[in-house]
Amino acid sequence: MLVTGTLNTLLTKLQDQQCIANCDNPDPAQHQLFEQPVWQTLNMFYGEMLCLACLYAIGLFRRRSAGNAPDAAADGYQPIPDSASVASADADADADVSADGTADAPPLKPIAGWATLYMWLPAVCDLLGTTLMNVGLFFTSASVYQMLRGAVVVFSGLFSVVFLGHRLERFQVISLGMVVLGVTIVGLSNVISPPAGAHSAAAAADHSVLKAAVGVALVLGAQLFTASQFVIEEKIIRRYRLTPLRAVGLEGSFGAATVMVAIPVLHVAIGRSHPGGYFDAPVGFRQIVDNPSVWQTSIYIMLSIAMFNYFGLSVTRHLSATSRATIDTCRTLFIWMSSLALGWEAFSWVQVVGFVILVYGTFVYNRVISL
């Protein structure tokens, strides 16, 4: 999970830095870099769809194994009945892992039929949030981008109180304040010292601060949609029996379908009047297929997304959600170290202070450490 999560962010930033036009010009400011956030969002959903394919492959393997081992019960394993669906098979495998560790919780009905369309709601939130973050990453460094994503803890905590009826304890309120402080310091570090060539290289130097501020605002604004996605997912999981792997796969399927419908609509509405922009579908497609470095990184990103989700769900199931949150925080450190090693950004003590406060607040909120 740590490796694939780190690779995903670094690969996305690497893709943003690929030159797709005017690459022979000796002036780097004239190079045109890859700027297609909508296509990147579609690629992410394809990666999530791989989780659904993985789920069906596991279910098929279990059914075949059960059919080839009629005496498996003697060894302590129960064969899956032939009439069981892949979804129910996976649900049975996770049935012994409940949210509160009790066995007397009321049974939930499996999500099926029209009810699966509820997963479209978090998929739309994921679509909006990811697209905004992809644009924000153009104007921020990979480490600042990842640190700013930590603000989702704040929005998730607030939304859970308003929409889910959760109650935050005193230490959680204090920790959220620390996260806000840490994110603010990190954001200011990006504005005070914008990353060199913060993507749109044709812009004048005096616009760097403005672009850095826009990047910070976009990444932070995206966390509103990400937090909404988390809250909606929790509402659905409370009502229906739905394994995490299938949830990710369904969101990927609905999200990919939505983006594929939106691409031609956005092209007609916006792309044709803004050729070469974010919503110019033919140009974006040609930029991908005509540049091996772009489509190759797209494949790597898609695979890293799928593996990151799978390993993350495995950590949650076999360890705890807190362990997953801790590992995800460590991912930020690895991204930062990698960016420094690759020369993508310069060391900043302001960023260090903000990161330390952000990590401490996150750990306190997730009960990793106490105040």
Side-chain angles (χ1 to χ4, degrees):
M1 175 185 172
L2 181 61
V3 173
T4 54
T6 301
L7 284 176
N8 178 254
T9 299
L10 293 177
L11 286 170
T12 303
K13 186 61 178 180
L14 177 64
Q15 188 177 62
D16 292 343
Q17 296 175 341
Q18 298 305 305
C19 181
I20 46 90
N22 301 325
C23 301
D24 295 331
N25 194 308
D27 182 8
Q30 301 302 319
H31 294 178
Q32 182 181 351
L33 305 183
F34 183 72
E35 292 184 335
Q36 295 296 334
V38 178
W39 287 101
Q40 288 178 320
T41 300
L42 179 61
N43 189 57
M44 179 208 68
F45 282 128
Y46 283 153
E48 292 184 353
M49 285 177 62
L50 290 179
C51 292
L52 193 61
C54 179
L55 172 64
Y56 279 97
I58 292 174
L60 181 62
F61 174 77
R62 288 175 176 173
R63 294 177 65 179
R64 287 186 175 181
S65 298
N68 295 332
D71 297 330
D75 296 329
Y77 295 92
Q78 295 295 330
I80 299 175
D82 293 337
S83 60
S85 65
V86 175
S88 63
D90 190 74
D92 292 340
D94 287 349
D96 58 335
V97 183
S98 61
D100 56 1
T102 59
D104 56 352
L108 300 175
K109 57 182 179 180
I111 191 168
W114 289 103
T116 57
L117 293 179
Y118 286 135
M119 297 304 298
W120 214 310
L121 296 175
V124 170
C125 292
D126 196 7
L127 187 160
L128 296 173
T130 301
T131 303
L132 286 177
M133 285 190 287
N134 286 338
V135 177
L137 185 57
F138 295 159
F139 311 121
T140 62
S141 63
S143 63
V144 169
Y145 161 85
Q146 191 64 38
M147 292 178 193
L148 293 175
R149 292 183 64 177
V152 72
V153 175
V154 178
F155 296 123
S156 297
L158 296 177
F159 287 176
S160 66
V161 172
V162 176
F163 299 107
L164 298 177
H166 291 180
R167 182 178 178 182
L168 296 180
E169 299 182 27
R170 178 174 169 271
F171 76 90
Q172 290 178 311
V173 175
I174 296 175
S175 65
L176 289 181
M178 297 177 66
V179 171
V180 171
L181 177 60
V183 168
T184 302
I185 295 175
V186 170
L188 288 175
S189 73
N190 189 70
V191 174
I192 294 172
S193 302
H199 202 66
S200 289
D206 56 344
H207 291 165
S208 297
V209 173
L210 177 60
K211 288 186 156 196
V214 170
V216 170
L218 287 173
V219 177
L220 290 178
Q223 305 318 306
L224 289 169
F225 294 105
T226 303
S228 300
Q229 173 192 349
F230 293 166
V231 171
I232 294 173
E233 287 173 344
E234 184 170 343
K235 292 277 285 187
I236 294 173
I237 292 175
R238 282 183 176 185
R239 184 173 180 181
Y240 295 98
R241 189 177 68 202
L242 178 65
T243 58
L245 196 61
R246 187 170 182 233
V248 173
L250 287 174
E251 285 186 21
S253 301
F254 289 137
T258 303
V259 175
M260 287 189 291
V261 171
I263 284 177
V265 174
L266 291 172
H267 173 69
V268 173
I270 305 175
R272 290 194 300 183
S273 58
H274 296 80
Y278 295 161
F279 305 110
D280 190 338
V283 169
F285 182 77
R286 287 196 299 269
Q287 288 179 357
I288 295 174
V289 299
D290 293 344
N291 294 276
S293 59
V294 175
W295 63 257
Q296 287 172 4
T297 52
S298 294
I299 294 175
Y300 298 145
I301 291 170
M302 182 173 60
L303 294 175
S304 66
I305 278 285
M307 290 187 290
F308 175 70
N309 280 287
Y310 177 79
F311 292 140
L313 296 173
S314 298
V315 169
T316 301
R317 179 180 178 185
H318 296 292
L319 296 176
S320 66
T322 301
S323 299
R324 183 176 182 179
T326 304
I327 294 174
D328 201 44
T329 303
C330 294
R331 176 166 67 120
T332 304
L333 178 60
F334 274 69
I335 292 171
W336 188 15
M337 294 170 57
S338 300
S339 297
L340 291 173
L342 293 170
W344 289 356
E345 57 184 282
F347 183 82
S348 169
W349 280 109
V350 177
Q351 192 172 330
V352 172
V353 174
F355 177 67
V356 170
I357 296 175
L358 173 62
V359 170
Y360 185 75
T362 303
F363 281 0
V364 171
Y365 184 83
N366 289 312
R367 295 183 171 88
V368 177
I369 58 179
S370 58
L371 285 173

